[in-house]
Amino acid sequence: MDSVLHKEIKEALLKNDQALAVAKINEYFDQQKNVPLNIVITGESCSGKSTFVNAFRGIDNRDEKAAPTGTTETTMEVNPYPHPNHPNVTFWDLPGIGTTKFPADKYMKHVGFEKFDFFIIVSSDRFKENDVRLAKEIQRMEKKFYFVRSKIDNSMRDEERTQRDFNKERSLKKIKDNCIQCLQEQGLKSPQVFLVSSFDLQLYDFHLLEETLERELPEHKRDAFLFAMPNISREIINKKKKALHSKIKYFATLSSAVAGVLIPGLSIAVDIGLLVGVVKQYVYKFGLDIKSLQSLANRAGVPLKELKEATISPLTATQVTPPIVMKVFAQSPNQITLKAVEEGTRFIPIFGIPTAMALSYITTYRGLNTFLDMLAEDAHRVFKKAMGLKPPM
């Protein structure tokens, strides 16, 4: 946690200004939500850009907030599509380069490329001259770009129908090698090409694209990208859990600081607000809120009821409130005992405050660990149910 903000919270508590302290805690949560990440999806018209944008955001093409898709060029303006749960992450669906309305030589100026973090250039066939011109301009601006060969599921079906001795891995390698060779022949050195099906992100190269983007993003933007990712694999869920776990010590430290203020009941009141705020983050980041589960149900063709029945935590698919959080917290007798001891020892001279602060740290750390384990397990259960009912891959 930012040291200045931590100090401001503690000062507010020392002044017995609980409202200000809570406001500062909420300010911290807002800071975590406001790291901007702007991702461009572009390429020639009808290459599947909009479908890729929707898949990345974890929503179905039929969703009212989906980027419009179709067999003709449907993207005619620079359109931002915020992530439904993480509005700081915006996917920009750009018009196809080289269209009559957007000739390549005026394209860069029109879309305002300077504000974007990285670029994904999509093609459903061979990458063409306009794609290369775009990549070279992005390269000149010293920004990252990646090539996505889309609709690879269609290509594989065509390969299987037309080849007598069809071999999946050999066909995929041939398609990727052809894309790379084509780009190199047009003057691009070491182009990064990923084969993707927007309808089945867990297949082909999307996991490699995710790993590459996560690795090459600035450190302060990696979490924003990771948490915006749909749960397309167990690895993604585990990465989210690890990232969330790394922050528990900061929340426990804040809880400990509050425990050092001699105001009866303050520590419990602030801790409840802290726990509720953090648990809400966990639910949204794992995609366990009702809206996210409904989107997953639509994409996977699984009834929402069955996804909900796969979960075990009372915190999943419901509104996270103080009573629910405290009910789960109270299921561990040791936690309640430690919290009671903390309240009782705070007013003992000399040793009381240090002991209360240590106990508060322990109870908050353990409590958040329990919540995180519980919700991560639910994320795995939902993933298994959604993937298990899909046709064999």
Side-chain angles (χ1 to χ4, degrees):
M1 176 177 290
D2 181 85
S3 58
V4 174
L5 188 56
H6 190 172
K7 183 180 178 182
E8 290 176 347
I9 292 171
K10 190 169 183 178
E11 287 177 352
L13 293 170
L14 289 171
K15 294 175 182 176
N16 197 18
D17 192 340
Q18 185 175 342
L20 179 58
V22 171
K24 290 294 180 182
I25 292 171
N26 287 331
E27 182 181 333
Y28 170 75
F29 288 129
D30 288 340
Q31 283 182 359
Q32 300 306 294
K33 291 189 248 179
N34 291 332
V35 175
L37 181 63
N38 292 289
I39 302 170
V40 167
I41 313 293
T42 188
E44 291 203 333
S45 59
C46 304
S47 58
K49 302 185 305 295
S50 297
T51 297
F52 189 64
V53 167
N54 295 334
F56 229 132
R57 295 163 69 220
I59 63 175
D60 188 80
N61 281 345
R62 295 162 292 186
D63 191 284
E64 62 180 10
K65 294 184 179 179
T69 60
T71 56
T72 58
E73 176 60 48
T74 53
T75 305
M76 300 308 294
E77 299 294 340
V78 180
N79 293 318
Y81 293 98
H83 191 282
N85 280 349
H86 307 280
N88 56 309
V89 178
T90 304
F91 296 86
W92 296 80
D93 189 7
L94 303 191
I97 186 171
T99 60
T100 302
K101 190 172 182 180
F102 301 106
D105 57 347
K106 297 179 180 178
Y107 187 82
M108 303 298 292
K109 183 177 180 181
H110 176 82
V111 300
F113 265 37
E114 296 80 7
K115 63 177 174 283
F116 303 125
D117 289 294
F118 64 84
F119 307 81
I120 295 176
I121 303 172
V122 181
S123 176
S124 59
D125 193 6
R126 295 173 65 85
F127 291 98
K128 302 188 175 88
E129 180 183 355
N130 281 333
D131 298 316
V132 175
R133 290 177 66 183
L134 184 58
K136 287 181 177 178
E137 184 63 20
I138 298 169
Q139 196 171 46
R140 187 185 65 79
M141 296 166 62
E142 299 183 345
K143 299 216 174 187
K144 297 285 187 181
F145 62 92
Y146 311 88
F147 292 98
V148 162
R149 168 62 161 80
S150 65
K151 303 183 182 180
I152 199 67
D153 44 347
N154 294 342
S155 299
M156 294 304 290
R157 279 193 294 270
D158 292 342
E159 290 273 315
E160 188 171 11
R161 289 193 190 103
T162 58
Q163 292 186 15
R164 183 178 304 171
D165 58 342
F166 172 73
N167 179 280
K168 179 181 175 181
E169 296 305 320
R170 185 172 63 231
S171 293
L172 289 171
K173 184 177 186 302
K174 183 183 75 172
I175 292 171
K176 180 178 280 191
D177 288 346
N178 286 344
C179 288
I180 292 173
Q181 181 180 351
C182 174
L183 292 168
Q184 288 176 334
E185 288 174 352
Q186 297 182 71
L188 285 178
K189 295 181 180 179
S190 304
Q192 299 189 75
V193 177
F194 302 90
L195 311 182
V196 171
S197 165
S198 294
F199 293 106
D200 287 295
L201 292 181
Q202 71 276 12
L203 301 181
Y204 310 113
D205 287 347
F206 187 81
H207 69 286
L208 297 176
L209 174 62
E210 180 273 325
E211 290 170 4
T212 302
L213 294 175
E214 188 180 349
R215 182 175 62 250
E216 296 188 357
L217 273 171
E219 186 173 358
H220 69 289
K221 296 202 175 192
R222 288 174 191 166
D223 281 356
F225 173 74
L226 175 63
F227 294 134
M229 284 286 299
N231 292 340
I232 61 165
S233 69
R234 294 189 179 278
E235 289 74 21
I236 293 290
I237 296 171
N238 289 335
K239 282 182 181 181
K240 290 182 179 182
K241 181 180 178 182
K242 183 178 179 181
L244 292 169
H245 184 270
S246 69
K247 294 176 171 54
I248 289 179
K249 59 181 177 288
Y250 300 118
F251 297 122
T253 300
L254 174 59
S255 174
S256 175
V258 174
V261 180
L262 291 174
I263 301 175
L266 177 64
S267 179
I268 292 178
V270 173
D271 279 353
I272 291 173
L274 181 66
L275 291 173
V276 170
V278 177
V279 169
K280 282 181 179 178
Q281 284 194 3
Y282 292 172
V283 169
Y284 281 110
K285 292 183 190 313
F286 282 125
L288 295 173
D289 57 290
I290 283 288
K291 184 189 289 187
S292 296
L293 289 174
Q294 183 63 69
S295 293
L296 176 59
N298 293 341
R299 295 197 319 276
V302 180
L304 175 62
K305 180 182 178 182
E306 293 187 13
L307 292 183
K308 292 168 70 174
E309 288 174 349
T311 65
I312 56 175
S313 170
L315 300 166
T316 297
T318 189
Q319 184 177 357
V320 178
T321 61
I324 292 177
V325 170
M326 293 314 296
K327 181 180 179 180
V328 177
F329 187 81
Q331 289 175 358
S332 172
N334 290 339
Q335 292 289 85
I336 297 300
T337 300
L338 286 173
K339 203 65 187 170
V341 172
E342 174 201 327
E343 283 297 304
T345 59
R346 183 177 293 108
F347 297 93
I348 298 175
I350 303 176
F351 299 109
I353 288 180
T355 301
M357 291 176 69
L359 290 172
S360 187
Y361 184 98
I362 292 169
T363 53
T364 300
Y365 192 94
R366 287 181 179 176
L368 289 177
N369 257 323
T370 299
F371 291 130
L372 182 57
D373 288 343
M374 188 181 299
L375 290 166
E377 176 61 26
D378 267 4
H380 280 295
R381 287 171 173 268
V382 168
F383 170 77
K384 182 178 179 180
K385 173 61 70 172
M387 296 300 106
L389 293 183
K390 295 191 74 174
M393 297 169 189

